[in-house]
Short mmCIF file of all heavy atoms in Angstrom, two decimals:
data_model
loop_
_atom_site.label_atom_id
_atom_site.label_comp_id
_atom_site.label_asym_id
_atom_site.label_seq_id
_atom_site.Cartn_x
_atom_site.Cartn_y
_atom_site.Cartn_z
N ILE A 15 66.65 22.58 -0.59
CA ILE A 15 66.30 22.26 -1.97
C ILE A 15 64.84 22.56 -2.29
O ILE A 15 64.44 22.48 -3.45
CB ILE A 15 66.62 20.80 -2.33
CG1 ILE A 15 65.79 19.84 -1.48
CG2 ILE A 15 68.11 20.52 -2.21
CD1 ILE A 15 65.85 18.40 -1.97
N GLY A 16 64.04 22.90 -1.26
CA GLY A 16 62.63 23.16 -1.54
C GLY A 16 61.98 24.07 -0.50
O GLY A 16 62.30 23.99 0.67
N VAL A 17 61.10 24.93 -0.97
CA VAL A 17 60.27 25.76 -0.09
C VAL A 17 58.86 25.82 -0.68
O VAL A 17 58.68 25.69 -1.89
CB VAL A 17 60.82 27.20 0.08
CG1 VAL A 17 62.16 27.20 0.78
CG2 VAL A 17 60.92 27.92 -1.24
N ASN A 18 57.88 26.04 0.20
CA ASN A 18 56.51 26.20 -0.26
C ASN A 18 55.71 26.90 0.82
O ASN A 18 55.93 26.67 2.01
CB ASN A 18 55.88 24.84 -0.56
CG ASN A 18 54.53 24.96 -1.24
OD1 ASN A 18 54.26 25.92 -1.94
ND2 ASN A 18 53.68 23.98 -1.03
N LEU A 19 54.81 27.73 0.41
CA LEU A 19 53.86 28.37 1.31
C LEU A 19 52.48 28.12 0.73
O LEU A 19 52.19 28.47 -0.42
CB LEU A 19 54.12 29.88 1.41
CG LEU A 19 53.11 30.67 2.24
CD1 LEU A 19 53.11 30.21 3.69
CD2 LEU A 19 53.44 32.16 2.15
N ASP A 20 51.63 27.44 1.51
CA ASP A 20 50.26 27.21 1.08
C ASP A 20 49.32 27.38 2.27
O ASP A 20 49.74 27.85 3.32
CB ASP A 20 50.11 25.84 0.39
CG ASP A 20 50.43 24.67 1.30
OD1 ASP A 20 50.34 24.80 2.54
OD2 ASP A 20 50.76 23.60 0.78
N THR A 21 48.08 26.97 2.13
CA THR A 21 47.11 27.19 3.20
C THR A 21 47.42 26.42 4.48
O THR A 21 46.93 26.77 5.54
CB THR A 21 45.69 26.82 2.72
OG1 THR A 21 45.69 25.46 2.30
CG2 THR A 21 45.24 27.73 1.59
N SER A 22 48.25 25.37 4.38
CA SER A 22 48.61 24.61 5.58
C SER A 22 49.87 25.16 6.26
O SER A 22 50.25 24.68 7.32
CB SER A 22 48.78 23.13 5.25
OG SER A 22 49.86 22.94 4.37
N GLY A 23 50.53 26.14 5.65
CA GLY A 23 51.69 26.75 6.28
C GLY A 23 52.89 26.84 5.37
O GLY A 23 52.80 26.70 4.16
N PHE A 24 54.04 27.06 6.00
CA PHE A 24 55.30 27.24 5.30
C PHE A 24 56.13 25.96 5.44
O PHE A 24 56.22 25.39 6.54
CB PHE A 24 56.06 28.42 5.90
CG PHE A 24 57.33 28.75 5.18
CD1 PHE A 24 57.31 29.50 4.00
CD2 PHE A 24 58.55 28.33 5.66
CE1 PHE A 24 58.47 29.80 3.33
CE2 PHE A 24 59.73 28.63 5.00
CZ PHE A 24 59.69 29.37 3.83
N TYR A 25 56.75 25.53 4.35
CA TYR A 25 57.57 24.32 4.34
C TYR A 25 58.97 24.64 3.83
O TYR A 25 59.12 25.43 2.89
CB TYR A 25 56.98 23.25 3.40
CG TYR A 25 55.67 22.69 3.86
CD1 TYR A 25 54.48 23.32 3.53
CD2 TYR A 25 55.62 21.53 4.62
CE1 TYR A 25 53.26 22.81 3.94
CE2 TYR A 25 54.40 21.01 5.04
CZ TYR A 25 53.23 21.65 4.69
OH TYR A 25 52.03 21.14 5.10
N GLU A 26 59.97 24.00 4.42
CA GLU A 26 61.33 23.98 3.89
C GLU A 26 61.76 22.53 3.82
O GLU A 26 61.52 21.76 4.76
CB GLU A 26 62.30 24.76 4.79
CG GLU A 26 62.13 26.25 4.70
CD GLU A 26 63.20 27.00 5.48
OE1 GLU A 26 63.96 26.39 6.27
OE2 GLU A 26 63.26 28.23 5.31
N ILE A 27 62.39 22.14 2.71
CA ILE A 27 62.88 20.78 2.52
C ILE A 27 64.38 20.84 2.28
O ILE A 27 64.85 21.58 1.41
CB ILE A 27 62.16 20.08 1.35
CG1 ILE A 27 60.67 20.00 1.65
CG2 ILE A 27 62.75 18.70 1.11
CD1 ILE A 27 59.84 19.42 0.52
N TYR A 28 65.11 20.06 3.05
CA TYR A 28 66.57 20.00 2.97
C TYR A 28 67.00 18.60 2.56
O TYR A 28 66.35 17.61 2.89
CB TYR A 28 67.20 20.32 4.32
CG TYR A 28 67.03 21.75 4.74
CD1 TYR A 28 65.88 22.18 5.37
CD2 TYR A 28 68.04 22.68 4.50
CE1 TYR A 28 65.72 23.51 5.76
CE2 TYR A 28 67.89 24.01 4.88
CZ TYR A 28 66.73 24.41 5.51
OH TYR A 28 66.59 25.71 5.89
N ARG A 29 68.14 18.55 1.88
CA ARG A 29 68.78 17.27 1.57
C ARG A 29 70.12 17.22 2.27
O ARG A 29 70.92 18.16 2.17
CB ARG A 29 68.97 17.09 0.06
CG ARG A 29 69.52 15.72 -0.27
CD ARG A 29 69.54 15.45 -1.73
NE ARG A 29 69.94 14.07 -1.96
CZ ARG A 29 69.99 13.52 -3.13
NH1 ARG A 29 69.66 14.21 -4.21
NH2 ARG A 29 70.38 12.27 -3.27
N ASP A 30 70.34 16.13 2.99
CA ASP A 30 71.61 15.90 3.67
C ASP A 30 72.08 14.51 3.25
O ASP A 30 71.70 13.51 3.85
CB ASP A 30 71.41 15.99 5.18
CG ASP A 30 72.72 15.98 5.95
OD1 ASP A 30 73.79 16.08 5.31
OD2 ASP A 30 72.68 15.89 7.19
N GLY A 31 72.83 14.47 2.15
CA GLY A 31 73.25 13.18 1.60
C GLY A 31 72.06 12.41 1.09
O GLY A 31 71.33 12.88 0.21
N ASP A 32 71.82 11.23 1.68
CA ASP A 32 70.68 10.42 1.24
C ASP A 32 69.47 10.56 2.17
O ASP A 32 68.62 9.68 2.24
CB ASP A 32 71.09 8.95 1.10
CG ASP A 32 71.46 8.31 2.43
OD1 ASP A 32 71.63 9.04 3.43
OD2 ASP A 32 71.57 7.07 2.47
N VAL A 33 69.40 11.70 2.88
CA VAL A 33 68.28 11.96 3.80
C VAL A 33 67.56 13.24 3.39
O VAL A 33 68.20 14.25 3.09
CB VAL A 33 68.77 12.06 5.26
CG1 VAL A 33 67.63 12.43 6.19
CG2 VAL A 33 69.41 10.74 5.69
N LEU A 34 66.22 13.18 3.37
CA LEU A 34 65.37 14.33 3.11
C LEU A 34 64.76 14.76 4.44
O LEU A 34 64.18 13.94 5.15
CB LEU A 34 64.27 13.95 2.12
CG LEU A 34 63.51 15.09 1.45
CD1 LEU A 34 64.44 15.82 0.47
CD2 LEU A 34 62.30 14.55 0.72
N ILE A 35 64.90 16.04 4.79
CA ILE A 35 64.41 16.55 6.07
C ILE A 35 63.41 17.68 5.77
O ILE A 35 63.75 18.63 5.07
CB ILE A 35 65.56 17.08 6.95
CG1 ILE A 35 66.61 15.98 7.11
CG2 ILE A 35 65.04 17.55 8.30
CD1 ILE A 35 67.96 16.47 7.56
N THR A 36 62.20 17.54 6.31
CA THR A 36 61.13 18.50 6.05
C THR A 36 60.78 19.25 7.33
O THR A 36 60.58 18.64 8.38
CB THR A 36 59.88 17.80 5.51
OG1 THR A 36 60.23 17.06 4.35
CG2 THR A 36 58.79 18.81 5.16
N PHE A 37 60.69 20.59 7.20
CA PHE A 37 60.28 21.46 8.30
C PHE A 37 58.98 22.14 7.92
O PHE A 37 58.75 22.46 6.75
CB PHE A 37 61.35 22.52 8.57
CG PHE A 37 62.63 21.97 9.11
CD1 PHE A 37 63.63 21.52 8.24
CD2 PHE A 37 62.87 21.90 10.47
CE1 PHE A 37 64.82 21.01 8.73
CE2 PHE A 37 64.05 21.40 10.97
CZ PHE A 37 65.03 20.95 10.09
N HIS A 38 58.14 22.41 8.91
CA HIS A 38 56.85 23.06 8.68
C HIS A 38 56.58 24.04 9.80
O HIS A 38 56.97 23.81 10.95
CB HIS A 38 55.73 22.02 8.63
CG HIS A 38 54.37 22.62 8.52
ND1 HIS A 38 53.54 22.75 9.60
CD2 HIS A 38 53.71 23.13 7.46
CE1 HIS A 38 52.40 23.30 9.21
NE2 HIS A 38 52.48 23.55 7.92
N GLY A 39 55.90 25.13 9.47
CA GLY A 39 55.50 26.10 10.47
C GLY A 39 54.52 27.09 9.89
O GLY A 39 54.20 27.06 8.70
N ASP A 40 54.07 28.02 10.75
CA ASP A 40 53.13 29.01 10.27
C ASP A 40 53.83 30.16 9.55
O ASP A 40 53.20 30.96 8.88
CB ASP A 40 52.22 29.53 11.38
CG ASP A 40 52.97 29.92 12.64
OD1 ASP A 40 54.18 29.67 12.74
OD2 ASP A 40 52.31 30.47 13.54
N ASN A 41 55.16 30.24 9.69
CA ASN A 41 55.95 31.21 8.92
C ASN A 41 57.40 30.71 8.88
O ASN A 41 57.73 29.73 9.52
CB ASN A 41 55.85 32.63 9.50
CG ASN A 41 56.37 32.71 10.91
OD1 ASN A 41 57.49 32.32 11.19
ND2 ASN A 41 55.53 33.20 11.82
N GLU A 42 58.25 31.40 8.13
CA GLU A 42 59.61 30.89 7.92
C GLU A 42 60.53 31.06 9.13
O GLU A 42 61.65 30.53 9.12
CB GLU A 42 60.24 31.48 6.66
CG GLU A 42 60.18 32.97 6.54
CD GLU A 42 60.61 33.42 5.16
OE1 GLU A 42 61.80 33.30 4.84
OE2 GLU A 42 59.74 33.88 4.41
N THR A 43 60.09 31.73 10.17
CA THR A 43 60.93 31.87 11.36
C THR A 43 60.52 30.93 12.48
O THR A 43 61.25 30.80 13.46
CB THR A 43 60.89 33.33 11.90
OG1 THR A 43 59.55 33.66 12.23
CG2 THR A 43 61.45 34.29 10.89
N ARG A 44 59.37 30.26 12.34
CA ARG A 44 58.90 29.33 13.37
C ARG A 44 58.65 27.97 12.73
O ARG A 44 57.51 27.60 12.47
CB ARG A 44 57.63 29.86 14.01
CG ARG A 44 57.84 31.19 14.72
CD ARG A 44 56.63 31.61 15.46
NE ARG A 44 56.31 30.56 16.44
CZ ARG A 44 55.25 30.58 17.20
NH1 ARG A 44 54.39 31.55 17.11
NH2 ARG A 44 55.02 29.61 18.07
N LEU A 45 59.73 27.23 12.50
CA LEU A 45 59.63 25.93 11.84
C LEU A 45 59.99 24.81 12.80
O LEU A 45 60.85 24.97 13.66
CB LEU A 45 60.56 25.88 10.64
CG LEU A 45 60.26 26.86 9.51
CD1 LEU A 45 61.36 26.81 8.47
CD2 LEU A 45 58.92 26.56 8.89
N GLU A 46 59.37 23.65 12.60
CA GLU A 46 59.71 22.47 13.37
C GLU A 46 59.87 21.29 12.41
O GLU A 46 59.16 21.20 11.39
CB GLU A 46 58.67 22.22 14.46
CG GLU A 46 57.82 21.05 14.30
CD GLU A 46 56.82 20.87 15.45
OE1 GLU A 46 56.36 21.85 16.05
OE2 GLU A 46 56.49 19.71 15.70
#
């Protein structure tokens, strides 16, 4: 449901029912 790239890195945000899960990394292939 969300993506962003800024000076702190790349973010992806997912929604799984009533849970929000955020991933971060230096690019979209290396996320944690």
Side-chain angles (χ1 to χ4, degrees):
I15 63 169
V17 295
N18 189 28
L19 175 62
D20 62 24
T21 58
S22 65
F24 184 80
Y25 293 87
E26 286 186 349
I27 299 176
Y28 291 84
R29 184 172 186 177
D30 190 9
D32 66 348
V33 176
L34 195 70
I35 305 162
T36 304
F37 293 87
H38 174 260
D40 48 353
N41 61 54
E42 51 190 290
T43 60
R44 298 186 60 184
L45 297 173
E46 111 179 31

